[in-house]
Amino acid sequence: MASGQLSRAEALACSGCRHACHVMLYCDTNTLLFGSIPIRHIVLPLLLPQMQMRFDGLLGFPGGFVNLSEESLEAGLGRELLEELGVAFQILEEDHVDSCFAPASSPASSTSPRLITHFYTKKMEEGQIRAVETAAVTTATDHGQEVLGMVRVPLHSTKGGGGLASFLSHSFVGNARFQLLHTLLRLHLVAPEELREALARSLKIQA
Ligand code: GTP
Ligand code: MN
Ligand code: MN
Ligand code: MN
Ligand code: MN
Protein backbone atom coordinates (compact mmCIF):
# COMPACT_ATOMS: atom_id res chain seq x y z
CA MET A 1 0.00 0.00 0.00
CA ALA A 2 1.20 3.49 -0.78
CA SER A 3 1.94 5.80 2.13
CA GLY A 4 -0.96 8.01 3.17
CA GLN A 5 -3.46 5.27 2.37
CA LEU A 6 -6.64 5.17 4.47
CA SER A 7 -9.56 2.80 4.76
CA ARG A 8 -12.87 4.19 3.58
CA ALA A 9 -14.13 4.34 7.19
CA GLU A 10 -11.00 6.14 8.43
CA ALA A 11 -11.29 8.62 5.58
CA LEU A 12 -14.97 9.33 6.29
CA ALA A 13 -14.21 9.79 9.98
CA CYS A 14 -11.89 12.69 9.26
CA SER A 15 -14.07 15.68 9.94
CA GLY A 16 -12.21 18.80 8.96
CA CYS A 17 -10.69 17.10 5.92
CA ARG A 18 -11.70 18.04 2.42
CA HIS A 19 -12.69 15.18 0.15
CA ALA A 20 -12.41 14.71 -3.61
CA CYS A 21 -13.49 11.71 -5.71
CA HIS A 22 -12.20 10.74 -9.14
CA VAL A 23 -12.88 7.77 -11.37
CA MET A 24 -11.27 5.87 -14.21
CA LEU A 25 -13.93 4.88 -16.75
CA TYR A 26 -12.78 2.16 -19.11
CA CYS A 27 -14.05 -0.51 -21.46
CA ASP A 28 -12.96 -3.37 -23.67
CA THR A 29 -13.16 -2.64 -27.33
CA ASN A 30 -12.91 -4.58 -30.54
CA THR A 31 -11.95 -1.43 -32.40
CA LEU A 32 -8.51 -1.75 -33.87
CA LEU A 33 -5.76 0.74 -33.40
CA PHE A 34 -5.08 2.61 -36.66
CA GLY A 35 -7.62 0.31 -38.35
CA SER A 36 -5.23 -2.62 -38.43
CA ILE A 37 -4.34 -5.34 -36.00
CA PRO A 38 -1.27 -4.47 -33.98
CA ILE A 39 0.42 -7.77 -33.18
CA ARG A 40 0.34 -7.43 -29.41
CA HIS A 41 -3.41 -6.84 -29.46
CA ILE A 42 -4.41 -9.92 -31.42
CA VAL A 43 -5.15 -11.65 -28.15
CA LEU A 44 -5.52 -8.72 -25.80
CA PRO A 45 -8.33 -6.37 -26.77
CA LEU A 46 -7.50 -2.69 -26.83
CA LEU A 47 -8.97 -0.78 -23.92
CA LEU A 48 -10.07 2.81 -23.71
CA PRO A 49 -9.29 4.23 -20.26
CA GLN A 50 -10.37 7.84 -20.00
CA MET A 51 -8.49 10.77 -18.51
CA GLN A 52 -8.88 14.48 -19.05
CA MET A 53 -6.83 17.54 -19.84
CA ARG A 54 -7.59 19.92 -17.00
CA PHE A 55 -7.75 23.71 -17.17
CA ASP A 56 -4.34 23.85 -15.46
CA GLY A 57 -2.70 21.84 -18.24
CA LEU A 58 -2.35 18.73 -16.08
CA LEU A 59 -3.78 15.31 -16.80
CA GLY A 60 -6.22 13.91 -14.26
CA PHE A 61 -9.29 11.76 -13.88
CA PRO A 62 -12.83 13.13 -14.10
CA GLY A 63 -14.36 13.96 -10.71
CA GLY A 64 -13.86 16.64 -8.09
CA PHE A 65 -14.54 17.99 -4.62
CA VAL A 66 -17.38 16.41 -2.68
CA ASN A 67 -19.22 18.18 0.13
CA LEU A 68 -19.95 15.45 2.67
CA SER A 69 -22.41 17.65 4.57
CA GLU A 70 -24.62 17.66 1.47
CA GLU A 71 -23.89 14.46 -0.44
CA SER A 72 -22.29 11.04 -0.16
CA LEU A 73 -18.94 10.37 -1.81
CA GLU A 74 -20.61 8.51 -4.65
CA ALA A 75 -23.42 11.05 -5.13
CA GLY A 76 -20.85 13.85 -5.19
CA LEU A 77 -18.77 11.99 -7.75
CA GLY A 78 -21.89 11.46 -9.85
CA ARG A 79 -22.60 15.21 -9.70
CA GLU A 80 -19.03 16.05 -10.76
CA LEU A 81 -19.24 13.58 -13.66
CA LEU A 82 -22.46 15.20 -14.86
CA GLU A 83 -20.76 18.63 -14.77
CA GLU A 84 -17.54 17.47 -16.43
CA LEU A 85 -18.77 14.77 -18.81
CA GLY A 86 -22.39 15.72 -19.46
CA VAL A 87 -23.58 12.21 -18.60
CA ALA A 88 -25.37 11.04 -15.44
CA PHE A 89 -23.67 8.07 -13.80
CA GLN A 90 -24.53 5.92 -10.89
CA ILE A 91 -21.29 5.31 -9.04
CA LEU A 92 -21.58 2.64 -6.36
CA GLU A 93 -19.69 1.99 -3.16
CA GLU A 94 -18.38 -1.22 -4.76
CA ASP A 95 -16.63 0.89 -7.42
CA HIS A 96 -14.44 2.45 -4.69
CA VAL A 97 -10.78 1.40 -4.93
CA ASP A 98 -8.92 3.36 -2.28
CA SER A 99 -8.62 6.60 -0.35
CA CYS A 100 -5.48 8.47 0.59
CA PHE A 101 -4.15 11.80 1.77
CA ALA A 102 -3.19 14.01 -1.16
CA PRO A 103 0.53 14.78 -1.32
CA ALA A 104 1.23 18.16 0.31
CA SER A 105 1.76 20.60 -2.57
CA SER A 106 3.12 23.82 -1.07
CA PRO A 107 4.08 25.19 2.37
CA ALA A 108 0.93 27.34 2.34
CA SER A 109 -1.22 24.23 2.15
CA SER A 110 0.03 23.01 5.53
CA THR A 111 -2.34 25.47 7.20
CA SER A 112 -5.38 24.57 5.08
CA PRO A 113 -7.50 21.45 5.67
CA ARG A 114 -5.98 18.22 4.46
CA LEU A 115 -7.34 16.77 1.24
CA ILE A 116 -8.34 13.13 1.02
CA THR A 117 -8.71 11.79 -2.52
CA HIS A 118 -10.96 8.80 -3.16
CA PHE A 119 -10.46 6.75 -6.28
CA TYR A 120 -12.98 4.65 -8.19
CA THR A 121 -12.92 2.53 -11.33
CA LYS A 122 -15.91 1.71 -13.51
CA LYS A 123 -16.02 -0.66 -16.43
CA MET A 124 -18.49 0.31 -19.13
CA GLU A 125 -19.70 -0.81 -22.52
CA GLU A 126 -17.78 0.62 -25.46
CA GLY A 127 -20.91 2.45 -26.63
CA GLN A 128 -21.25 4.16 -23.25
CA ILE A 129 -17.63 5.31 -23.35
CA ARG A 130 -18.13 6.69 -26.85
CA ALA A 131 -21.27 8.51 -25.64
CA VAL A 132 -19.19 10.05 -22.84
CA GLU A 133 -16.53 11.19 -25.29
CA THR A 134 -19.22 12.94 -27.32
CA ALA A 135 -21.17 14.44 -24.43
CA ALA A 136 -17.97 15.74 -22.80
CA VAL A 137 -17.45 18.16 -25.69
CA THR A 138 -21.11 19.00 -26.36
CA THR A 139 -23.45 19.01 -23.36
CA ALA A 140 -21.00 19.05 -20.43
CA THR A 141 -21.26 22.43 -18.69
CA ASP A 142 -17.61 22.36 -17.63
CA HIS A 143 -16.26 21.79 -21.13
CA GLY A 144 -13.87 24.59 -22.00
CA GLN A 145 -13.90 25.73 -18.37
CA GLU A 146 -12.48 23.22 -15.88
CA VAL A 147 -12.06 20.55 -18.51
CA LEU A 148 -10.36 21.09 -21.86
CA GLY A 149 -11.02 17.61 -23.22
CA MET A 150 -11.15 13.89 -22.56
CA VAL A 151 -8.23 11.76 -23.68
CA ARG A 152 -7.81 8.02 -24.11
CA VAL A 153 -4.79 6.51 -22.42
CA PRO A 154 -2.65 4.68 -25.00
CA LEU A 155 -1.83 1.27 -23.56
CA HIS A 156 0.35 0.07 -26.42
CA SER A 157 4.07 0.61 -26.83
CA THR A 158 5.71 1.48 -30.10
CA LYS A 159 9.20 0.35 -31.05
CA GLY A 160 10.50 3.89 -30.65
CA GLY A 161 9.36 4.05 -27.02
CA GLY A 162 6.15 5.91 -27.75
CA GLY A 163 2.62 5.04 -26.65
CA LEU A 164 2.20 4.46 -22.94
CA ALA A 165 5.73 5.66 -22.12
CA SER A 166 5.15 9.03 -23.80
CA PHE A 167 1.79 9.37 -22.10
CA LEU A 168 3.32 8.70 -18.67
CA SER A 169 5.97 11.37 -19.29
CA HIS A 170 3.34 14.14 -19.21
CA SER A 171 2.44 16.08 -16.07
CA PHE A 172 -0.33 14.73 -13.83
CA VAL A 173 -2.30 16.38 -11.03
CA GLY A 174 -1.86 15.11 -7.46
CA ASN A 175 -1.17 11.41 -7.46
CA ALA A 176 -3.17 10.72 -10.64
CA ARG A 177 -0.13 9.12 -12.29
CA PHE A 178 0.14 6.66 -9.41
CA GLN A 179 -3.61 5.97 -9.59
CA LEU A 180 -3.26 5.22 -13.30
CA LEU A 181 -0.26 2.90 -12.88
CA HIS A 182 -1.84 1.11 -9.93
CA THR A 183 -5.09 0.58 -11.83
CA LEU A 184 -3.40 -0.70 -14.99
CA LEU A 185 -1.67 -3.32 -12.83
CA ARG A 186 -4.61 -4.17 -10.60
CA LEU A 187 -7.01 -4.70 -13.51
CA HIS A 188 -4.35 -6.52 -15.56
CA LEU A 189 -4.69 -3.97 -18.36
CA VAL A 190 -0.92 -3.93 -18.89
CA ALA A 191 1.55 -6.70 -17.97
CA PRO A 192 3.83 -5.77 -15.03
CA GLU A 193 7.01 -6.09 -17.11
CA GLU A 194 5.58 -3.94 -19.90
CA LEU A 195 4.48 -1.31 -17.40
CA ARG A 196 7.89 -1.24 -15.72
CA GLU A 197 9.53 -0.70 -19.11
CA ALA A 198 7.11 2.06 -20.08
CA LEU A 199 7.64 3.80 -16.75
CA ALA A 200 11.44 3.61 -17.07
CA ARG A 201 11.23 5.04 -20.60
CA SER A 202 8.89 7.80 -19.46
CA LEU A 203 11.43 8.92 -16.85
CA LYS A 204 14.12 9.10 -19.57
CA ILE A 205 11.79 11.19 -21.75
CA GLN A 206 11.23 13.57 -18.82
CA ALA A 207 14.95 13.90 -18.08
P1 GTP B 1 -13.44 22.96 -8.97
O1 GTP B 1 -14.89 22.93 -9.23
O2 GTP B 1 -12.67 23.88 -9.88
O3 GTP B 1 -13.10 23.12 -7.56
O4 GTP B 1 -12.84 21.52 -9.42
P2 GTP B 1 -13.34 20.07 -9.03
O5 GTP B 1 -14.39 20.10 -7.98
O6 GTP B 1 -13.64 19.37 -10.30
O7 GTP B 1 -12.03 19.46 -8.36
P3 GTP B 1 -10.78 18.76 -9.03
O8 GTP B 1 -11.20 17.73 -10.03
O9 GTP B 1 -9.83 19.79 -9.48
O10 GTP B 1 -10.18 17.92 -7.80
C1 GTP B 1 -9.95 18.52 -6.55
C2 GTP B 1 -8.52 18.32 -6.14
O11 GTP B 1 -8.19 16.95 -6.17
C3 GTP B 1 -7.53 18.99 -7.10
O12 GTP B 1 -7.23 20.29 -6.67
C4 GTP B 1 -6.33 18.10 -7.03
O13 GTP B 1 -5.52 18.43 -5.91
C5 GTP B 1 -6.93 16.74 -6.75
N1 GTP B 1 -7.12 15.98 -7.99
C6 GTP B 1 -7.68 16.37 -9.15
N2 GTP B 1 -7.71 15.36 -10.06
C7 GTP B 1 -7.15 14.31 -9.45
C8 GTP B 1 -6.89 12.99 -9.87
O14 GTP B 1 -7.15 12.54 -10.99
N3 GTP B 1 -6.31 12.20 -8.96
C9 GTP B 1 -5.98 12.65 -7.72
N4 GTP B 1 -5.42 11.79 -6.88
N5 GTP B 1 -6.20 13.87 -7.29
C10 GTP B 1 -6.77 14.70 -8.15
MN1 MN C 1 -15.49 19.62 -11.43
MN1 MN D 1 -12.63 17.92 -11.59
MN1 MN E 1 -16.41 20.88 -8.12
MN1 MN F 1 -16.53 23.17 -10.65
Side-chain angles (χ1 to χ4, degrees), residues 64-67 71 74-84:
F65 287 113
V66 168
N67 186 346
E71 56 195 0
E74 289 76 24
L77 178 53
R79 174 187 51 71
E80 282 290 339
L81 295 178
L82 183 58
E83 294 169 7
E84 298 187 358

Side-chain angles (χ1 to χ4, degrees), residues 1-7 97-98 178 182:
M1 269 195 181
S3 62
Q5 199 109 7
L6 299 156
S7 74
V97 177
D98 59 19
F178 175 80
H182 181 242

Side-chain angles (χ1 to χ4, degrees), residues 6 16 21 26 30 35 60 63 67 70 72 99 104-105 108-109 118 122 144-145 183 191-192 199 206:
L6 299 156
C21 296
Y26 70 102
N30 295 317
N67 186 346
E70 291 172 3
S72 68
S99 304
S105 47
S109 67
H118 305 268
K122 197 164 183 71
Q145 311 282 325
T183 304
L199 189 56
Q206 284 174 336

Side-chain angles (χ1 to χ4, degrees), residues 103-180:
S105 47
S106 63
S109 67
S110 60
T111 54
S112 50
R114 292 196 76 177
L115 173 65
I116 296 177
T117 57
H118 305 268
F119 191 64
Y120 294 74
T121 54
K122 197 164 183 71
K123 186 171 183 179
M124 307 176 72
E125 297 301 320
E126 183 176 354
Q128 292 177 294
I129 287 274
R130 290 183 181 277
V132 166
E133 289 180 322
T134 304
V137 294
T138 50
T139 55
T141 53
D142 280 346
H143 178 64
Q145 311 282 325
E146 279 175 42
V147 185
L148 304 184
M150 296 301 292
V151 294
R152 299 178 181 184
V153 179
L155 297 183
H156 63 282
S157 299
T158 68
K159 278 209 189 80
L164 182 58
S166 298
F167 188 84
L168 291 173
S169 75
H170 296 311
S171 297
F172 291 76
V173 66
N175 61 354
R177 181 191 277 106
F178 175 80
Q179 288 172 330
L180 173 63

Side-chain angles (χ1 to χ4, degrees), residues 39-110:
I39 290 175
R40 64 200 321 151
H41 290 296
I42 287 177
V43 187
L44 272 181
L46 191 65
L47 290 115
L48 305 175
Q50 297 281 317
M51 292 191 79
Q52 64 186 17
M53 178 56 71
R54 295 160 43 90
F55 70 97
D56 54 11
L58 301 174
L59 290 165
F61 291 98
F65 287 113
V66 168
N67 186 346
L68 284 180
S69 65
E70 291 172 3
E71 56 195 0
S72 68
L73 290 174
E74 289 76 24
L77 178 53
R79 174 187 51 71
E80 282 290 339
L81 295 178
L82 183 58
E83 294 169 7
E84 298 187 358
L85 305 179
V87 175
F89 282 94
Q90 194 155 35
I91 304 293
L92 305 174
E93 210 175 305
E94 68 195 46
D95 302 318
H96 176 260
V97 177
D98 59 19
S99 304
C100 66
F101 282 114
S105 47
S106 63
S109 67
S110 60

